[in-house]
Amino acid sequence: MTDAIRLTVPHARAYYGVIRLVLGGLAARHDLSYEELEDIQIALEMLLTDPYAAGGEVTVEARLGDGAFEVSVGPLDARRLESELARDLDAHDGIGLRRLLSAVAGGFEVERRDGGEWVRIRKPLPAAQVEHR
């Protein structure tokens, strides 16, 4: 079974709680652990920060099924996003976007659509949760 949600909100910090609430509801419906949800929310928080804003609204698409929790966010500013992802992240640079996304998600990819860049985060579900469905 696959569940999918698409939510468009103003690209403003005041609405990030709404996004977290919706994702939390979807995660709870499928018995995702708090740690798995927190990983996705950390990645989203980083992507939703002002440097990556491409306009007045942001859309978050969440899909749970096929053994993974996938979240796409966009449109984002292509120039800033590509610059950050291309940075050479050695130990002295701290935790940049590429390192953060690699650490908290099972994978991510950037795709161009709807007038900007979108980032899709994929968090694999533990085998026991997949079999439970």
Side-chain angles (χ1 to χ4, degrees):
M1 181 168 127
T2 299
D3 281 347
I5 293 174
R6 180 180 173 107
L7 177 66
T8 300
V9 298
H11 202 153
R13 183 167 290 284
Y15 291 91
Y16 298 171
V18 174
I19 295 169
R20 285 191 297 272
L21 181 66
V22 169
L23 292 180
L26 181 60
R29 179 171 151 64
H30 290 276
D31 298 324
L32 256 68
S33 73
Y34 177 77
E35 290 80 15
E36 291 162 331
L37 176 60
E38 186 176 40
D39 285 347
I40 294 293
Q41 289 179 338
I42 289 169
L44 272 176
E45 186 75 23
M46 188 76 154
L47 289 167
L48 291 172
T49 61
D50 287 337
Y52 306 116
E57 293 184 333
V58 65
T59 298
V60 175
E61 299 171 344
R63 182 177 159 284
L64 207 148
D66 299 327
F69 190 15
E70 291 185 355
V71 177
S72 295
V73 60
L76 303 172
D77 183 282
R79 183 183 52 80
R80 289 183 176 160
L81 183 64
E82 289 170 9
S83 173
E84 177 66 22
L85 291 173
R87 261 185 25 183
D88 182 24
L89 298 173
D90 62 45
H92 302 291
D93 280 329
I95 298 177
L97 183 60
R98 179 175 295 281
R99 186 175 290 173
L100 181 124
L101 292 176
S102 296
V104 300
F108 74 94
E109 62 184 75
V110 178
E111 57 189 9
R112 183 135 184 79
R113 62 180 163 120
D114 299 335
E117 300 290 312
W118 285 64
V119 174
R120 183 174 10 169
I121 305 160
R122 181 175 171 83
K123 180 77 174 171
L125 301 176
Q129 286 179 317
V130 174
E131 291 171 11
H132 174 69
R133 290 187 205 344

